[in-house]
Amino acid sequence: MAFLLNPSFNPTPKCLPHNPQNISQRFCPCLINSTISMTHVHRRRCDCYDLHKELVPYVEAWSWQNSIVQERKTLSERNEDFADSLIVLQHQPVYTLGSGSSEEYLKFDVEKAPLNVYRTERGGEVTYHGPGQLVMYPIINLRYHKMDLHWYLRALEEVVIRVLSSTFAIKASRIEGLTGVWVGDQKLAAIGIRVSRWITYHGLALNVNPDLSPFQKIVPCGIRDRRVGSIKELLRLTFPSNSCSLENNNHVNDYELIEITHESLIREFCEVFQAELQYKHTLRGISEGQNRDLSYWKSKAKDPHRIYKA
């Protein structure tokens, strides 16, 4: 998946029957053979909204992101943007397309879609989100990290590569010319972002133990000659049994695998982005002293248009 950069913010995603919004600037990132490094010394605060045990409707997470980005841009203009944000969750089953995604990568009639389908403002082609897939939406002001979008994509990939290596002894890699994280010809993590005034949103999705069959009804990320994989699938190949296993042969069930992966994702994200995480029990305003619950953020942004409802 690719990413989209637009200095102006448009909070309304396009409906599928309409022509997609013109893209002001699109990047096709290539592999940068360098170690991910930070340009700042002190850890920056990052407010974490951890909903990884919940199945969140896509429309709600989309609305939260857009509302937070709007407020963050206002704070940034006043030099009062003191913290980044991170939303972690699982989604209810859904297909999403980027602003410029092509319908040719859908293997079904959109008027008879098997799941809800949304077109968003991110870059990249169609993908699937659902239970068993951990999604991270970092809302980061790159002015306080590194104002380089290729660096940011490589950093997101680095988070996943470290998780797979340190926790599961799985050797993952990048593929030149493609965004995401791969093990052989299997894509385990998809990345699709948008950046507005150097503030990022959307993010990455890591397949832990999802049902992979919905991917068969699309061409994931528009890549026809490769397939989608999961951590659970790879562990089964390494440790054949009725359940997954870690390197020390301690068997884990699906719930435990999600928990182990989630803990590792958070840890590696903090290391790569030098973040000091502060957990929030509600989605709160970025300004100090402003408590925001979920209904506030939902009211601040328009709901995305559902393209087709299953």
Side-chain angles (χ1 to χ4, degrees):
M1 298 176 68
F3 59 93
L4 190 67
L5 171 66
N6 193 324
S8 61
F9 180 84
N10 183 352
T12 307
K14 301 292 184 180
C15 296
L16 186 60
H18 299 164
N19 291 327
Q21 176 182 338
N22 290 334
I23 302 172
S24 62
Q25 190 173 2
R26 181 178 294 278
F27 292 81
C28 295
C30 59
L31 177 64
I32 299 176
N33 293 315
S34 62
T35 303
I36 299 297
S37 60
M38 304 304 300
T39 57
H40 62 283
V41 176
H42 300 290
R43 287 180 178 260
R44 179 168 162 83
R45 195 184 90 210
C46 183
D47 295 335
C48 181
Y49 306 104
D50 191 352
L51 306 171
H52 79 280
K53 296 182 180 181
E54 302 181 29
L55 297 181
V56 179
Y58 187 82
V59 62
E60 292 190 22
W62 179 91
S63 180
W64 299 338
Q65 288 183 80
N66 280 276
S67 298
I68 293 173
V69 169
Q70 286 282 46
E71 182 155 335
R72 292 284 303 283
K73 288 196 291 188
T74 299
L75 291 170
S76 183
E77 290 172 357
R78 303 200 301 255
N79 293 320
E80 296 175 358
D81 187 10
F82 301 129
D84 294 323
S85 301
L86 176 66
I87 303 173
V88 186
L89 49 74
Q90 298 180 62
H91 277 305
Q92 295 176 0
V94 65
Y95 291 116
T96 68
L97 298 88
S99 177
S101 293
S102 172
E103 293 180 44
E104 69 177 276
Y105 297 124
L106 303 177
K107 297 180 181 179
F108 52 80
D109 182 343
V110 291
E111 295 186 0
K112 300 177 181 179
L115 301 172
N116 289 346
V117 184
Y118 294 97
R119 185 180 293 280
T120 76
E121 68 276 70
R122 67 164 172 80
E125 295 292 344
V126 63
T127 194
Y128 163 77
H129 297 302
Q133 182 190 76
L134 286 174
V135 178
M136 300 184 81
Y137 292 132
I139 302 172
I140 291 176
N141 191 334
L142 292 180
R143 292 182 182 88
Y144 297 96
H145 295 269
K146 190 171 183 179
M147 294 168 67
D148 182 330
L149 301 185
H150 296 289
W151 170 86
Y152 178 60
L153 284 174
R154 301 292 80 77
L156 290 177
E157 292 168 347
E158 182 71 13
V159 171
V160 177
I161 289 172
R162 291 186 182 194
V163 167
L164 296 174
S165 175
S166 65
T167 303
F168 302 106
I170 295 174
K171 185 177 181 180
S173 63
R174 303 175 177 90
I175 293 180
E176 185 171 1
L178 300 175
T179 300
V181 176
W182 306 78
V183 177
D185 68 344
Q186 298 183 57
K187 189 171 191 176
L188 265 67
I191 296 173
I193 68 168
R194 178 152 175 132
V195 179
S196 179
R197 301 181 193 173
W198 294 109
I199 296 175
T200 71
Y201 55 119
H202 294 282
L204 68 84
L206 174 60
N207 295 326
V208 182
N209 49 23
D211 174 10
L212 296 177
S213 62
F215 285 103
Q216 298 173 6
K217 297 179 181 179
I218 60 174
V219 179
C221 303
I223 304 172
R224 297 185 184 276
D225 60 346
R226 299 179 187 273
R227 59 196 182 101
V228 174
S230 69
I231 294 175
K232 180 178 180 178
E233 194 176 60
L234 288 173
L235 290 177
R236 277 180 171 171
L237 292 174
T238 305
F239 304 99
S241 67
N242 293 327
S243 61
C244 293
S245 176
L246 300 181
E247 191 175 16
N248 61 4
N249 290 322
N250 289 328
H251 295 289
V252 296
N253 58 34
D254 284 354
Y255 173 82
E256 292 169 331
L257 189 58
I258 286 286
E259 292 301 304
I260 291 167
T261 307
H262 164 262
E263 181 180 348
S264 184
L265 270 173
I266 294 294
R267 181 175 62 250
E268 300 300 347
F269 175 86
C270 289
E271 286 304 309
V272 170
F273 288 97
Q274 291 295 286
E276 182 179 333
L277 228 57
Q278 292 191 9
Y279 285 91
K280 304 294 181 181
H281 297 293
T282 60
L283 283 174
R284 302 180 60 182
I286 305 303
S287 301
E288 291 296 328
Q290 285 185 316
N291 287 322
R292 308 298 198 195
D293 60 17
L294 304 190
S295 61
Y296 169 84
W297 291 115
K298 289 167 68 177
S299 70
K300 292 290 286 184
K302 297 179 181 178
D303 287 342
H305 296 291
R306 180 185 290 114
I307 299 170
Y308 289 103
K309 183 176 181 179

